[in-house]
Amino acid sequence: MVNLTIDDKQVTAPKNSTIYDAARINGIKIPILCHDKKLKPFGACRMCLVEVEQMRGRQVPACTTPITEGMIIRTSTPDIIKARKMVLELLLLNHPIDCPVCDKGGDCDLQNLTYEYKVNANRFSDEKFHHAIDYSNPLIERDMNRCVLCGKCARICDEIVSFGALTFISRGIETKIGCEFEGSLNCEFCGSCVSVCPVGSLLARPFKFKARFWALTNQKSVCGYCGTGCNLTLGVKDNKVLTTVYDENQGFHNGQLCCRGRFGYQFINSDKRLTTPLVRKNGTLTEASWDEALELVAARLKGAGSSAAALATPRLTNEELVLFKRLMETAGSANYDHSAGYAHAALTEGFAKSFGAAASPATILDIQKSDLLLVIKTDSYETHPVIGFEINMAVKNKGVKLNILSDKRGKLSKLPDAQTLVHTPGSEVAVINALAKTILDDKLAAGTAAAIPGYADLEKALAGFTPEAVAGQSGLSSDAIKRLARDYAAAEKALILFPIGNAYPGHNADLASAVANLALLTGKLGTEGSGVLCMAEKNNSQGAVDMGFYATRGLNAGQIMDGCASGAVKTLFVAGENPVVSYPNRAAISAALDKVEFLVVSDLFMTETAAMADVVLPACSFAEKEGTFTSVDRRVQHIKPAIGKIGQSRTDFEIFGQLIAKLGGQAPATPATVFGEIAASTPGYAGMSYASLGETGAFAQVAVTAAFVVPRTVAVEPAAGKLALVTGSALYHNGTQSQFGEGPMYVCPEGYVELSRTDAARLKIQENDLLNVASAIGSTKLKARITPRMPEGVLFSPYHFGAAGVNQVWGGAPVTWVTVTK
Amino acid sequence: MSEAVAQQAKEQEPEVDLSIADKVIDKYIDLPGNLMPVLQGVQDEYGYVPRKVADYVAERLNVYPSQIYGVLTFYAQFHLKPRGKFIIRVCVGTACHVSGAPRIVETFFDKLHIGHAETTPDLRYTFEKVACLGACGMAPLAMVNDDTFGKMTVQKVDEIIAEYNQRPMK
């Protein structure tokens, strides 16, 4: 700690602090415009000038000057006030005073400072700028006339988002912020630039002219898209979520959000929301009362036994999932599952065997504390963008080494010194086995490894996985495999990350076992900055696993679908899932759902699946309910309703509770009661209560009982003349729900197929050509996107879309062989 | 959509041979801080920095395209539009100004039908007013590429244009 005097007050601050930080932690306010705690010090605006006695009273910027022992600082002498006033006068020289029509009014740093420093006249005069306002996209408006050149937008886009869409253009008085060749924004649309803009230069257009900042009620919540568990502040007015409000002190991510988190909230108040229960009468869904609908469902479920089955989306709260399970048990059925059944296998089978717990023994916070990251598939950025930001910051700010093992390149591959090994699709388990084999052969395994059960079996099973043997099938050089293995083993702290989800069929139990073996072999587990993080797709995927909402005694999702087709399953209750779009092989799923006698769907929207139902129940979004979500790293967070329920919709908690009551069971009254039960019975959740979760949530501990498990590998045989199609997630979407968000649908409105430049040239395909993609099970038409990231012979397509869905050609195999014609 | 706009803008640019850029980039690819020499190199080769080349440099050097544009616009030495084969510079510094440089400038404007920092449609001439070429004793001064013409007169403007009209473009 360093001792110093600020404004005649004796204070201490940690070494390496700046004057600004030292003042802030001691409760002394220094005004800033260009400084942001998440960004590197910049010192552009000169608002934070202070006097330092040791520097002979010179005025220095507080945000860039480090403190020294005994420093005597004055933050608001008459000279300083005068200097700051002049800074404001100079800024206001070019800044238009259009506050009445500026959306930033009330939330504008420049406005607030002008008010605070009473700058009511200007001694200078100059012309205002006449830059054209960029209205070219519906999400972010850029008005460079209001810009104060603090550079925060360009800096955050580089330092955290690592996209670099914005930069300083030109020089001197002509300097402005813009994109290359003065073009329009063509970026990820995460809105980070909007969130940090101190003035009205960058505005969120969906929120424009909706409300004044001070008229909003800020409701804290947790994002309802992916499993990262980002905290959100929803700006609410008149029972409508009008925007997401940036709060730099919120969550581990300091308020940082991705496109769907920041711009995808519109589904909550969408006019497409279901508002009344619907019952199929004479073939058409017609409005009905809740009593009528629930009676019908209860009558079907009563005593149904194993002829009833349930599928839930892992977007439900933990409490709802527990209640749904109880409902099925009351009906006498053990047939329930989520995420298409296979998408949680990495946790429920893989980690359950390798670690003795169906959860990841690492947290998101480990990313920046590690020395080396091994990311399986560049898609980790696409599936969990805010985790991607953590990786960006780890690599760029902390010098963490980044190794990527993927079937294509991606944004992560562009990070400084990132090593990307692009393997042939479907060979990841073999490559990871070869890494383990190298570690064994080079005697790099930790001393503790041999004592872990299954060591001898693993050693034997890996015999065939020499880097040389795997090099052929994976398309990698044996040297590259060896180098990666040695780097991983040599790193003091190493973390492995991989995404799982509905469209990642290859990311299964075997992949989980394979990476677990690596961590166990080298002992990179259980310490800060080390471990394995399996990133499940939806906001409560880990919770669904923790609540045991998957097949243990009954049928899994795949078997339930088969049961529907064969007639063994007569009643299917689907809560929030949209199997028609998100499960593999659309034709088979549609046929199965057609066949099932009675289909109940509770959902927010009339999805493709809901349209086939006999009873549709309008459910509530995350913004209307209470409960807990568990993130990928088992952070349990409490959400409270931000708005009242839309129309007659009810929460799934109420729906399941009322059905349990109708079946003669005893339903718990509130989610809080159920959370109490969860805390008492779920491993790792012991002792948790709403109060103990607080605003930041609490981690459910993962107790590891290690074992080596030999992963199975499936050889992917190339099909002559065909291309390998891999499926996955688009950066802007998550599941099928983001189709109802304005932001995601603007940036990525429809399905597409990405292909390499070489394949495009060979097949004479141009960008945006409509391609017919055909596999053994069907075909669909998708627009072509030609990108340098795809290797030759490999295609990529995201799965989120109802129209022209990729599950019309994809049957659930890790690699689908397809032909592409124009 | 912005992407479509960007795509359109790219398509409107004339075709450029990227293999020339490749040669320049290959030369500096392993050098730390290679952006400036690469940009200077490609400008020497193409005469200016075409957008397609800037984008290509961004891809190969793994630098944001926006950052490259920032550098290109920061330095006056980079040009984003095609330039003439012959760059005519007329000094308008103090010594040249008092010796009649404004009339020389006007005459060039009239004869070439272009203004300051503009290029003739046939890409033969680019005209620039510059502040001091460092040879005040020869005022008023003009330069065509590396050739110097001192004690300029209005008549000499005709002679210079006549002479350089004869020169081959390749």
Side-chain angles (χ1 to χ4, degrees):
Chain A
M1 295 299 264
V2 175
N3 299 299
L4 64 162
T5 311
I6 306 179
D7 289 347
D8 303 323
K9 209 170 119 189
Q10 298 284 330
V11 297
T12 57
K15 227 177 116 184
N16 301 330
S17 302
T18 59
I19 295 176
Y20 174 76
D21 290 331
R24 188 179 45 86
I25 57 175
N26 287 293
I28 297 161
K29 196 181 155 247
I30 296 176
I32 46 166
L33 266 179
C34 75
H35 185 72
D36 190 289
K37 71 168 189 180
K38 295 208 294 275
L39 303 174
K40 290 178 191 146
F42 196 57
C45 72
R46 312 322 259 190
M47 264 319 285
C48 65
L49 290 174
V50 292
E51 276 177 16
V52 178
E53 197 164 298
Q54 282 85 345
M55 297 176 177
R56 278 168 294 154
R58 228 175 67 205
Q59 298 178 348
V60 296
C63 72
T64 54
T65 313
I67 52 169
T68 53
E69 185 65 34
M71 212 176 217
I72 300 169
I73 300 155
R74 292 198 182 80
T75 70
S76 47
T77 63
D79 278 355
I80 291 285
I81 305 284
K82 216 172 130 190
R84 287 186 190 150
K85 271 191 171 182
M86 189 161 97
V87 168
L88 287 168
E89 277 177 286
L90 290 170
L91 286 175
L92 292 167
L93 193 53
N94 300 116
H95 185 95
I97 313 297
D98 58 352
C99 307
V101 289
C102 178
D103 237 39
K104 196 76 177 178
D107 187 29
C108 173
D109 291 352
L110 183 64
Q111 192 184 46
N112 292 345
L113 288 169
T114 306
Y115 183 79
E116 189 183 332
Y117 283 87
K118 304 182 186 69
V119 182
N120 51 9
N122 206 330
R123 289 169 288 161
F124 314 102
S125 69
D126 193 16
E127 228 183 292
K128 304 285 179 191
F129 291 123
H130 299 288
H131 298 304
I133 301 171
D134 176 13
Y135 296 113
S136 60
N137 72 75
L139 298 181
I140 300 173
E141 175 181 313
R142 294 190 301 141
D143 182 349
M144 285 309 120
N145 302 307
R146 293 176 182 152
C147 182
V148 292
L149 295 171
C150 69
K152 276 199 218 172
C153 51
R155 284 149 63 207
I156 203 163
C157 199
D158 171 24
E159 291 176 26
I160 297 180
V161 184
S162 216
F163 191 93
L166 297 167
T167 193
F168 284 101
I169 294 177
S170 297
R171 175 167 44 114
I173 187 73
E174 284 166 10
T175 311
K176 62 176 176 181
I177 293 279
C179 305
E180 64 269 22
F181 291 86
E182 323 269 334
S184 46
L185 264 182
N186 182 17
C187 65
E188 285 177 24
F189 291 99
C190 65
S192 298
C193 51
V194 176
S195 72
V196 293
C197 184
V199 292
S201 271
L202 296 160
L203 293 172
R205 290 188 76 190
F207 177 57
K208 218 181 157 197
F209 301 137
K210 288 271 164 63
R212 278 306 191 181
F213 181 73
W214 58 83
L216 294 174
T217 314
N218 288 350
Q219 300 280 3
K220 293 196 170 173
S221 191
V222 176
C223 182
Y225 280 114
C226 81
T228 310
C230 296
N231 294 29
L232 279 182
T233 302
L234 300 174
V236 176
K237 194 185 163 212
D238 303 334
N239 205 38
K240 281 202 168 95
V241 174
L242 293 181
T243 186
T244 49
V245 180
Y246 174 60
D247 177 356
E248 64 167 5
N249 296 316
Q250 201 180 14
F252 73 90
H253 49 101
N254 295 318
Q256 198 64 20
L257 294 173
C258 68
C259 176
R260 50 208 192 208
R262 195 179 311 276
F263 290 120
Y265 56 84
Q266 293 90 346
F267 75 92
I268 300 168
N269 287 99
S270 165
D271 49 15
K272 292 189 189 133
R273 278 281 299 269
L274 294 169
T275 51
T276 56
L278 302 168
V279 170
R280 193 170 292 277
K281 289 175 188 158
N282 303 325
T284 47
L285 284 167
T286 40
E287 289 189 9
S289 70
W290 270 104
D291 262 347
E292 185 188 352
L294 290 178
E295 273 308 328
L296 271 173
V297 179
R300 286 293 310 194
L301 287 177
K302 197 154 198 168
S306 61
S307 73
L311 295 171
T313 173
R315 294 202 196 283
L316 301 185
T317 63
N318 288 322
E319 294 70 20
E320 288 170 339
L321 289 162
V322 166
L323 222 53
F324 199 11
K325 206 166 124 181
R326 197 166 299 166
L327 171 64
M328 294 316 288
E329 280 159 2
T330 314
S333 171
N335 304 329
Y336 44 79
D337 204 349
H338 72 275
S339 287
Y342 66 85
H344 55 68
L347 291 165
T348 53
E349 279 182 54
F351 281 5
K353 285 184 198 153
S354 294
F355 296 139
S360 302
T363 72
I364 297 169
L365 305 179
D366 285 314
I367 294 172
Q368 294 208 48
K369 293 174 185 157
S370 191
D371 292 332
L372 179 142
L373 301 174
L374 172 56
V375 180
I376 320 275
K377 273 207 185 181
T378 49
D379 300 66
S380 303
Y381 190 87
E382 271 93 353
T383 53
H384 298 77
V386 175
I387 293 182
F389 296 159
E390 292 290 309
I391 300 174
N392 291 343
M393 287 188 277
V395 174
K396 295 179 105 165
N397 300 343
K398 306 268 165 75
V400 177
K401 280 190 198 158
L402 177 61
N403 287 279
I404 300 159
L405 199 57
S406 181
D407 46 22
K408 58 188 169 298
R409 301 177 77 82
K411 205 179 122 183
L412 290 178
S413 314
K414 291 186 183 172
L415 289 174
D417 300 320
Q419 301 291 323
T420 311
L421 300 188
V422 181
H423 58 75
T424 53
S427 63
E428 46 268 74
V429 178
V431 176
I432 295 165
N433 278 348
L435 296 176
K437 174 72 178 155
T438 309
I439 288 168
L440 282 175
D441 287 352
D442 289 10
K443 311 262 178 283
L444 298 170
T448 50
I452 298 172
Y455 181 80
D457 288 343
L458 180 71
E459 207 174 13
K460 204 164 2 135
L462 290 179
F465 289 95
T466 58
E468 288 74 18
V470 172
Q473 55 162 303
S474 66
L476 298 171
S477 76
S478 56
D479 285 344
I481 297 174
K482 283 183 198 162
R483 192 164 54 236
L484 175 55
R486 286 167 193 155
D487 282 351
Y488 176 75
E492 196 187 321
K493 296 177 281 181
L495 180 66
I496 307 178
L497 301 111
F498 66 99
I500 58 170
N502 269 346
Y504 298 93
H507 285 201
N508 51 20
D510 298 308
L511 181 82
S513 306
V515 293
N517 290 343
L518 270 191
L520 293 172
L521 267 182
T522 51
K524 296 199 196 312
L525 203 66
T527 50
E528 195 179 73
S530 289
V532 183
L533 183 62
C534 168
M535 305 187 295
E537 190 182 20
K538 308 271 168 64
N539 56 323
N540 200 29
S541 287
Q542 182 64 47
V545 170
D546 289 348
M547 297 309 116
F549 199 90
Y550 56 92
T552 43
R553 293 172 291 121
L555 305 176
N556 66 25
Q559 293 160 338
I560 289 172
M561 281 300 155
D562 294 343
C564 290
S566 72
V569 172
K570 294 189 164 50
T571 303
L572 178 63
F573 194 151
V574 179
E577 285 266 84
N578 187 6
V580 175
V581 179
S582 64
Y583 285 24
N585 197 347
R586 183 178 293 195
I589 298 291
S590 298
L593 293 177
D594 241 354
K595 193 80 191 292
V596 72
E597 264 182 40
F598 194 75
L599 177 64
V600 189
V601 173
S602 79
D603 207 308
L604 274 62
F605 298 101
M606 184 53 76
T607 61
E608 290 78 357
T609 305
M612 300 175 76
D614 297 289
V615 174
V616 178
L617 306 172
C620 292
S621 72
F622 75 98
E624 295 145 68
K625 60 191 178 190
E626 180 194 334
T628 57
F629 289 145
T630 307
S631 69
V632 293
D633 53 354
R634 260 193 161 189
R635 190 196 285 264
V636 184
Q637 303 193 92
H638 177 209
I639 55 156
K640 284 179 293 220
I643 57 167
K645 291 167 199 152
I646 304 288
Q648 290 182 38
S649 66
R650 291 182 183 176
T651 65
D652 285 286
F653 189 88
E654 290 170 319
I655 295 172
F656 303 144
Q658 284 151 7
L659 285 170
I660 291 173
K662 281 189 193 293
L663 293 187
Q666 187 71 38
T670 63
T673 333
V674 180
F675 188 64
E677 291 171 23
I678 291 170
S681 61
T682 313
Y685 286 62
M688 283 186 183
S689 66
Y690 278 174
S692 78
L693 297 183
E695 266 192 14
T696 54
F699 286 109
Q701 295 306 316
V702 182
V704 174
T705 318
F708 285 115
V709 177
V710 175
R712 290 158 300 176
T713 50
V714 186
V716 176
E717 290 300 328
K722 295 195 172 182
L723 297 163
L725 172 74
V726 290
T727 52
S729 172
L731 173 60
Y732 314 100
H733 286 277
N734 182 264
T736 59
Q737 184 180 276
S738 49
Q739 285 186 90
F740 298 93
E742 217 172 280
M745 285 313 273
Y746 159 66
V747 202
C748 182
E750 57 191 353
Y752 56 86
V753 60
E754 262 184 89
L755 74 166
S756 68
R757 285 172 178 170
T758 18
D759 288 323
R762 186 170 54 81
L763 298 165
K764 301 197 170 53
I765 291 168
Q766 304 281 325
E767 184 86 5
N768 289 329
D769 278 354
L770 199 58
L771 303 180
N772 190 47
V773 181
S775 74
I777 64 159
S779 70
T780 187
K781 284 196 185 305
L782 294 166
K783 270 192 184 167
R785 276 202 194 170
I786 303 163
T787 52
R789 73 173 188 144
M790 299 306 297
E792 197 181 343
V794 182
L795 305 175
F796 169 79
S797 184
Y799 82 97
H800 319 277
F801 305 96
V806 74
N807 68 343
Q808 286 164 284
V809 288
W810 164 63
V815 182
T816 310
W817 296 98
V818 295
T819 49
V820 171
T821 45
K822 262 212 271 192
Chain B
M1 210 175 125
S2 60
E3 221 167 301
V5 176
Q7 192 62 30
Q8 214 179 0
K10 269 187 198 178
E11 279 161 13
Q12 280 165 357
E13 268 226 350
E15 271 308 312
V16 288
D17 179 7
L18 291 177
S19 66
I20 300 169
D22 265 325
K23 272 184 210 145
V24 177
I25 298 166
D26 288 339
K27 194 168 155 194
Y28 297 107
I29 190 88
D30 295 320
L31 188 83
N34 51 13
L35 182 56
M36 287 299 284
V38 165
L39 291 179
Q40 285 168 324
V42 293
Q43 172 151 295
D44 282 349
E45 294 294 336
Y46 296 95
Y48 70 112
V49 184
R51 174 161 190 174
K52 275 186 184 141
V53 173
D55 288 344
Y56 186 66
V57 169
E59 191 185 316
R60 283 216 50 198
L61 298 187
N62 193 15
V63 179
Y64 309 131
S66 68
Q67 212 169 1
I68 289 198
Y69 188 68
V71 170
L72 290 175
T73 53
F74 184 88
Y75 294 103
Q77 58 160 305
F78 289 119
H79 305 284
L80 299 168
K81 290 205 181 105
R83 305 239 301 155
K85 168 87 176 159
F86 305 105
I87 316 290
I88 302 173
R89 294 195 195 94
V90 174
C91 180
V92 291
T94 315
C96 291
H97 182 85
V98 297
S99 322
R103 278 203 59 198
I104 308 295
V105 171
E106 287 303 320
T107 315
F108 272 113
F109 283 177
D110 286 349
K111 302 276 177 193
L112 298 174
H113 305 291
I114 52 171
H116 167 63
E118 288 177 2
T119 302
T120 53
D122 63 355
L123 298 185
R124 183 171 284 273
Y125 299 109
T126 295
F127 183 86
E128 281 172 0
K129 290 192 283 186
V130 291
C132 200
L133 287 162
C136 305
M138 297 163 77
L141 185 73
M143 283 183 82
V144 180
N145 290 354
D146 292 332
D147 302 335
T148 314
F149 299 89
K151 307 277 181 212
M152 278 295 291
T153 60
V154 173
Q155 289 74 18
K156 267 188 166 178
V157 171
D158 283 332
E159 289 166 25
I160 290 172
I161 292 174
E163 186 190 337
Y164 282 89
N165 275 341
Q166 305 298 315
R167 299 271 180 107
M169 278 294 277
K170 287 284 167 193

